[in-house]
Amino acid sequence: QVQLVESGGGLVQVGGSLRLSCAASGRTVSSYAMGWFRTAPGKDREWVASVDWSGGSTYYGKSVKGRFTISRDNAKNTVYLQMNNLKPEDTAVYYCVADPRFVVPTIETPAPNYWGQGTQVTVSS
């Protein structure tokens, strides 16, 4: 029903910036909340950020708040993640996600339904 394709990952030095993009397709994707998760080697998946369907409300995980910015352009069916002041612990595979209800992880909705293939972000020190 929904296809998500991430791009923009790569190698960046500590303190640098990187912008991820996620192109979404699907008839109802513009009405879905969207966001980003990440998975570092040997660690559990971590919720990074989310934006509601309108783009009017954004939410961030504690580890990235103040450094990352999520936004969306529904006309282009694209969501972005601007990552600034990158740290080595930001190294992970980043996944674009979408869901009609998911905004932030909760017991009732621990994870979104739709996931992209992931894009690697490596922060070198």
Side-chain angles (χ1 to χ4, degrees):
Q1 295 181 14
V2 175
Q3 184 176 354
L4 307 171
V5 181
E6 303 95 333
S7 62
L11 177 66
V12 64
Q13 291 186 328
V14 172
S17 298
L18 204 62
R19 190 189 194 194
L20 304 182
S21 298
C22 174
S25 62
R27 293 183 178 181
T28 61
V29 68
S30 62
S31 66
Y32 285 18
M34 299 185 69
W36 297 87
F37 276 75
R38 67 186 183 185
T39 302
K43 296 184 178 180
D44 294 333
R45 69 185 181 190
E46 178 186 16
W47 169 69
V48 176
S50 296
V51 59
D52 73 350
W53 69 270
S54 70
S57 298
T58 58
Y59 310 87
Y60 299 92
K62 294 180 180 179
S63 63
V64 305
K65 188 175 183 179
R67 299 188 298 119
F68 291 10
T69 302
I70 188 172
S71 61
R72 70 187 298 168
D73 185 342
N74 284 345
K76 298 180 179 179
N77 286 333
T78 303
V79 64
Y80 306 94
L81 185 68
Q82 178 66 46
M83 305 183 293
N84 297 327
N85 191 24
L86 285 163
K87 303 176 181 180
E89 53 263 41
D90 295 319
T91 295
V93 176
Y94 284 71
Y95 298 92
C96 180
V97 298
D99 193 274
R101 300 185 65 182
F102 177 90
V103 180
V104 299
T106 67
I107 296 176
E108 295 181 352
T109 56
N113 287 325
Y114 301 101
W115 294 68
Q117 83 287 352
T119 185
Q120 177 71 48
V121 173
T122 302
V123 183
S124 64
S125 60

mmCIF file of all heavy atoms in Angstrom, residues 1 11-12 15 19 21-22 25 28 35 39 49 56 60 74 76 78 83-84 95 98 100 117:
data_model
loop_
_atom_site.group_PDB
_atom_site.id
_atom_site.type_symbol
_atom_site.label_atom_id
_atom_site.label_comp_id
_atom_site.label_asym_id
_atom_site.label_seq_id
_atom_site.Cartn_x
_atom_site.Cartn_y
_atom_site.Cartn_z
ATOM 1 N N GLN A 1 0.819 -1.196 0.000
ATOM 2 C CA GLN A 1 0.000 0.000 0.000
ATOM 3 C C GLN A 1 0.862 1.257 0.000
ATOM 4 O O GLN A 1 0.477 2.272 -0.603
ATOM 5 C CB GLN A 1 -0.912 -0.007 1.213
ATOM 6 C CG GLN A 1 -1.928 -1.118 1.224
ATOM 7 C CD GLN A 1 -2.824 -1.048 2.445
ATOM 8 O OE1 GLN A 1 -2.862 -0.064 3.148
ATOM 9 N NE2 GLN A 1 -3.555 -2.132 2.674
ATOM 10 N N LEU A 11 28.802 9.052 4.491
ATOM 11 C CA LEU A 11 29.838 9.221 5.497
ATOM 12 C C LEU A 11 30.033 10.700 5.796
ATOM 13 O O LEU A 11 30.158 11.511 4.879
ATOM 14 C CB LEU A 11 31.150 8.607 5.006
ATOM 15 C CG LEU A 11 32.372 8.750 5.903
ATOM 16 C CD1 LEU A 11 32.165 7.974 7.200
ATOM 17 C CD2 LEU A 11 33.611 8.252 5.182
ATOM 18 N N VAL A 12 30.069 11.026 7.069
ATOM 19 C CA VAL A 12 30.256 12.410 7.484
ATOM 20 C C VAL A 12 31.114 12.432 8.743
ATOM 21 O O VAL A 12 31.103 11.485 9.532
ATOM 22 C CB VAL A 12 28.897 13.099 7.726
ATOM 23 C CG1 VAL A 12 28.160 12.439 8.888
ATOM 24 C CG2 VAL A 12 29.068 14.584 7.965
ATOM 25 N N GLY A 15 30.416 16.300 14.006
ATOM 26 C CA GLY A 15 30.074 17.710 13.960
ATOM 27 C C GLY A 15 29.499 18.170 12.643
ATOM 28 O O GLY A 15 29.040 19.314 12.535
ATOM 29 N N ARG A 19 21.537 15.462 5.286
ATOM 30 C CA ARG A 19 20.094 15.542 5.091
ATOM 31 C C ARG A 19 19.596 14.289 4.397
ATOM 32 O O ARG A 19 20.021 13.982 3.281
ATOM 33 C CB ARG A 19 19.722 16.762 4.266
ATOM 34 C CG ARG A 19 18.218 17.042 4.238
ATOM 35 C CD ARG A 19 17.873 18.121 3.233
ATOM 36 N NE ARG A 19 16.525 18.636 3.425
ATOM 37 C CZ ARG A 19 15.870 19.379 2.530
ATOM 38 N NH1 ARG A 19 16.449 19.703 1.389
ATOM 39 N NH2 ARG A 19 14.644 19.808 2.804
ATOM 40 N N SER A 21 16.405 12.087 2.786
ATOM 41 C CA SER A 21 15.126 12.268 2.129
ATOM 42 C C SER A 21 14.420 10.935 2.016
ATOM 43 O O SER A 21 15.060 9.888 1.923
ATOM 44 C CB SER A 21 15.303 12.870 0.732
ATOM 45 O OG SER A 21 15.893 14.144 0.787
ATOM 46 N N CYS A 22 13.114 10.976 2.015
ATOM 47 C CA CYS A 22 12.307 9.779 1.864
ATOM 48 C C CYS A 22 11.187 10.071 0.887
ATOM 49 O O CYS A 22 10.312 10.905 1.168
ATOM 50 C CB CYS A 22 11.742 9.335 3.211
ATOM 51 S SG CYS A 22 10.579 7.959 3.108
ATOM 52 N N SER A 25 5.263 6.750 -1.824
ATOM 53 C CA SER A 25 4.241 6.536 -2.832
ATOM 54 C C SER A 25 3.084 5.762 -2.215
ATOM 55 O O SER A 25 3.270 4.949 -1.311
ATOM 56 C CB SER A 25 4.800 5.794 -4.043
ATOM 57 O OG SER A 25 5.275 4.505 -3.682
ATOM 58 N N THR A 28 -2.820 6.984 -0.142
ATOM 59 C CA THR A 28 -3.189 7.598 1.132
ATOM 60 C C THR A 28 -2.002 8.059 1.957
ATOM 61 O O THR A 28 -2.181 8.464 3.102
ATOM 62 C CB THR A 28 -4.028 6.622 1.974
ATOM 63 O OG1 THR A 28 -3.267 5.443 2.244
ATOM 64 C CG2 THR A 28 -5.303 6.249 1.241
ATOM 65 N N GLY A 35 7.942 9.280 9.749
ATOM 66 C CA GLY A 35 9.037 9.497 10.662
ATOM 67 C C GLY A 35 10.265 8.701 10.304
ATOM 68 O O GLY A 35 10.396 8.176 9.189
ATOM 69 N N THR A 39 18.763 1.967 13.478
ATOM 70 C CA THR A 39 19.287 0.774 14.123
ATOM 71 C C THR A 39 20.797 0.774 14.017
ATOM 72 O O THR A 39 21.348 0.714 12.911
ATOM 73 C CB THR A 39 18.726 -0.505 13.484
ATOM 74 O OG1 THR A 39 17.294 -0.495 13.557
ATOM 75 C CG2 THR A 39 19.241 -1.732 14.224
ATOM 76 N N ALA A 49 12.439 10.435 15.075
ATOM 77 C CA ALA A 49 11.597 11.610 14.918
ATOM 78 C C ALA A 49 10.346 11.243 14.143
ATOM 79 O O ALA A 49 10.320 10.266 13.400
ATOM 80 C CB ALA A 49 12.347 12.733 14.187
ATOM 81 N N GLY A 56 2.333 19.850 10.729
ATOM 82 C CA GLY A 56 2.216 20.890 11.726
ATOM 83 C C GLY A 56 2.786 20.542 13.085
ATOM 84 O O GLY A 56 3.066 21.439 13.881
ATOM 85 N N TYR A 60 10.470 14.372 18.615
ATOM 86 C CA TYR A 60 11.847 13.911 18.546
ATOM 87 C C TYR A 60 12.216 13.042 19.723
ATOM 88 O O TYR A 60 11.739 13.241 20.843
ATOM 89 C CB TYR A 60 12.803 15.103 18.495
ATOM 90 C CG TYR A 60 12.589 15.994 17.302
ATOM 91 C CD1 TYR A 60 11.751 17.091 17.371
ATOM 92 C CD2 TYR A 60 13.224 15.722 16.095
ATOM 93 C CE1 TYR A 60 11.543 17.905 16.272
ATOM 94 C CE2 TYR A 60 13.026 16.530 14.987
ATOM 95 C CZ TYR A 60 12.184 17.621 15.079
ATOM 96 O OH TYR A 60 11.982 18.422 13.982
ATOM 97 N N ASN A 74 4.067 17.477 1.440
ATOM 98 C CA ASN A 74 3.053 16.568 0.925
ATOM 99 C C ASN A 74 2.833 16.713 -0.575
ATOM 100 O O ASN A 74 2.415 15.761 -1.237
ATOM 101 C CB ASN A 74 1.734 16.771 1.673
ATOM 102 C CG ASN A 74 1.754 16.163 3.052
ATOM 103 O OD1 ASN A 74 2.624 15.356 3.379
ATOM 104 N ND2 ASN A 74 0.784 16.543 3.881
ATOM 105 N N LYS A 76 5.103 16.924 -2.667
ATOM 106 C CA LYS A 76 6.128 16.081 -3.269
ATOM 107 C C LYS A 76 6.146 14.673 -2.685
ATOM 108 O O LYS A 76 6.957 13.849 -3.099
ATOM 109 C CB LYS A 76 7.506 16.712 -3.089
ATOM 110 C CG LYS A 76 7.662 18.074 -3.756
ATOM 111 C CD LYS A 76 9.059 18.627 -3.526
ATOM 112 C CE LYS A 76 9.233 19.973 -4.201
ATOM 113 N NZ LYS A 76 10.592 20.529 -3.964
ATOM 114 N N THR A 78 7.243 13.709 0.162
ATOM 115 C CA THR A 78 8.606 13.536 0.631
ATOM 116 C C THR A 78 8.738 14.009 2.074
ATOM 117 O O THR A 78 8.172 15.036 2.450
ATOM 118 C CB THR A 78 9.596 14.303 -0.253
ATOM 119 O OG1 THR A 78 9.468 13.860 -1.609
ATOM 120 C CG2 THR A 78 11.029 14.069 0.206
ATOM 121 N N MET A 83 20.019 16.508 9.771
ATOM 122 C CA MET A 83 20.819 16.083 10.908
ATOM 123 C C MET A 83 22.026 16.999 11.033
ATOM 124 O O MET A 83 22.852 17.064 10.123
ATOM 125 C CB MET A 83 21.264 14.632 10.746
ATOM 126 C CG MET A 83 20.104 13.666 10.527
ATOM 127 S SD MET A 83 20.642 11.936 10.426
ATOM 128 C CE MET A 83 21.562 11.991 8.887
ATOM 129 N N ASN A 84 22.114 17.683 12.148
ATOM 130 C CA ASN A 84 23.217 18.598 12.413
ATOM 131 C C ASN A 84 24.002 18.136 13.633
ATOM 132 O O ASN A 84 23.505 17.382 14.465
ATOM 133 C CB ASN A 84 22.697 20.014 12.640
ATOM 134 C CG ASN A 84 22.009 20.594 11.431
ATOM 135 O OD1 ASN A 84 22.371 20.310 10.297
ATOM 136 N ND2 ASN A 84 21.004 21.438 11.679
ATOM 137 N N TYR A 95 15.814 4.360 8.840
ATOM 138 C CA TYR A 95 14.645 3.883 8.129
ATOM 139 C C TYR A 95 13.543 4.927 8.127
ATOM 140 O O TYR A 95 13.174 5.459 9.174
ATOM 141 C CB TYR A 95 14.099 2.610 8.780
ATOM 142 C CG TYR A 95 15.060 1.446 8.759
ATOM 143 C CD1 TYR A 95 15.932 1.227 9.818
ATOM 144 C CD2 TYR A 95 15.082 0.564 7.689
ATOM 145 C CE1 TYR A 95 16.812 0.162 9.806
ATOM 146 C CE2 TYR A 95 15.956 -0.506 7.673
ATOM 147 C CZ TYR A 95 16.818 -0.705 8.731
ATOM 148 O OH TYR A 95 17.685 -1.762 8.729
ATOM 149 N N ALA A 98 6.108 5.063 7.939
ATOM 150 C CA ALA A 98 4.808 5.702 7.758
ATOM 151 C C ALA A 98 3.726 4.841 8.384
ATOM 152 O O ALA A 98 3.842 3.613 8.439
ATOM 153 C CB ALA A 98 4.510 5.924 6.279
ATOM 154 N N PRO A 100 -0.819 5.176 9.441
ATOM 155 C CA PRO A 100 -1.990 6.045 9.556
ATOM 156 C C PRO A 100 -2.215 6.582 10.958
ATOM 157 O O PRO A 100 -2.897 7.598 11.114
ATOM 158 C CB PRO A 100 -3.148 5.138 9.125
ATOM 159 C CG PRO A 100 -2.647 3.750 9.347
ATOM 160 C CD PRO A 100 -1.184 3.810 9.058
ATOM 161 N N GLN A 117 13.662 0.733 3.018
ATOM 162 C CA GLN A 117 14.745 -0.248 3.002
ATOM 163 C C GLN A 117 15.931 0.160 3.858
ATOM 164 O O GLN A 117 16.776 -0.669 4.187
ATOM 165 C CB GLN A 117 15.210 -0.490 1.564
ATOM 166 C CG GLN A 117 16.205 0.529 1.015
ATOM 167 C CD GLN A 117 15.588 1.876 0.695
ATOM 168 O OE1 GLN A 117 14.378 2.064 0.730
ATOM 169 N NE2 GLN A 117 16.450 2.848 0.369
#
